[in-house]
Amino acid sequence: GNSVTQMEGPVTLSEEAFLTINCTYTATGYPSLFWYVQYPGEGLQLLLKATKADDKGSNKGFEATYRKETTSFHLEKGSVQVSDSAVYFCALMNMNSNYQLIWGAGTKLIIKP
Amino acid sequence: NAGVTQTPKFQVLKTGQSMTLQCAQDMNHNSMYWYRQDPGMGLRLIYYSASEGTTDKGEVPNGYNVSRLNKREFSLRLESAAPSQTSVYFCASSEGVRGGAFFGQGTRLTVV
């Protein structure tokens, strides 16, 4: 079946630190992979996506590369800001998941000034 | 660009009352979804509609019903609200595997 595993939080970093949030997946076929962000009290926003192996998604300084050989889609940012504090969700969508998003549990990121 | 619009944004119900959460999208997406999110937790799928005219149960459908009124609208009904249904409810729509899903701002429901 399809599943997504992401690192447990909270992750606490200082401003300007390098960020990595790990995400690995299990899926048959060729899923699309997504990162969503949820700021406090708000809905989920699509942060970035990749639809095939070796694609790199990027947005707002965040990047993630679709690695089929390691079934991973780790989220990275070179220099985090306090405003990046949020919960980050990794997800996949596959034709054989009946177009449902399969979610990771979410990782809470706390950036201290 | 409205995207996905949910109403109401906040609601307080008494145990046993009924209500309908409304959701509409203007992106011409085929698939629509209802999720609930409890404090400190991820998303759980209640119902989804892969296309107009079809609906299917998700992970936690008990106590809920849905209607896909047309391609734009997908409503969620609580027939007899219970305190365990206190949650934040999100509606989403999707253009397919390559596009992912887009979310509304949520409905914060409290059942007392």
Side-chain angles (χ1 to χ4, degrees):
Chain A
N2 300 299
S3 67
V4 175
T5 303
Q6 59 182 107
M7 64 191 293
E8 289 189 22
V11 173
T12 304
L13 295 172
S14 297
E15 204 165 22
E16 299 184 3
F18 185 88
L19 168 70
T20 301
I21 300 178
N22 290 336
C23 172
T24 57
Y25 69 91
T26 301
T28 55
Y30 303 95
S32 294
L33 302 173
F34 307 91
W35 277 101
Y36 284 82
V37 59
Q38 185 176 31
Y39 299 103
E42 297 188 9
L44 280 81
Q45 301 175 27
L46 178 61
L47 180 61
L48 54 83
K49 66 179 181 181
T51 59
K52 61 183 188 295
D54 301 324
D55 265 2
K56 177 184 283 188
S58 61
N59 187 24
K60 300 182 180 180
F62 291 90
E63 294 183 338
T65 301
Y66 188 143
R67 301 284 189 203
K68 193 165 178 64
E69 63 276 14
T70 55
T71 62
S72 65
F73 192 54
H74 304 321
L75 183 68
E76 296 182 336
K77 187 176 185 183
S79 176
V80 292
Q81 306 299 313
V82 172
S83 58
D84 294 326
S85 298
V87 180
Y88 293 81
F89 292 93
C90 184
L92 71 82
M93 187 181 281
N94 211 344
M95 288 178 70
N96 69 12
S97 69
N98 203 14
Y99 302 101
Q100 295 180 50
L101 276 163
I102 308 300
W103 295 93
T107 302
K108 185 173 184 178
L109 175 65
I110 301 169
I111 306 300
K112 296 188 173 181
Chain B
N1 291 340
V4 179
T5 303
Q6 291 182 234
T7 56
K9 288 186 169 51
F10 299 94
Q11 184 70 50
V12 178
L13 289 179
K14 292 182 179 179
T15 297
Q17 286 185 317
S18 62
M19 79 162 296
T20 299
L21 281 63
Q22 306 287 353
C23 175
Q25 51 95 6
D26 63 1
M27 295 173 283
N28 202 36
H29 288 169
N30 283 320
S31 300
M32 297 186 73
Y33 312 83
W34 276 105
Y35 291 92
R36 63 178 286 174
Q37 185 178 36
D38 298 309
M41 296 184 67
L43 296 166
R44 292 187 290 173
L45 183 65
I46 305 171
Y47 272 93
Y48 67 101
S49 172
S51 61
E52 186 180 357
T54 68
T55 60
D56 288 284
K57 295 178 180 179
E59 182 185 354
V60 288
N62 291 345
Y64 306 95
N65 285 300
V66 291
S67 295
R68 183 75 183 266
L69 303 169
N70 47 55
K71 193 170 186 178
R72 290 187 64 246
E73 298 173 287
F74 188 40
S75 63
L76 177 72
R77 183 160 179 85
L78 286 71
E79 291 290 352
S80 179
S84 60
Q85 294 179 305
T86 294
S87 189
V88 181
Y89 292 85
F90 290 103
C91 177
S93 69
S94 172
E95 62 181 353
V97 173
R98 298 175 70 83
F102 296 85
F103 285 76
Q105 284 299 102
T107 297
R108 282 153 180 78
L109 175 67
T110 301
V111 183
V112 297

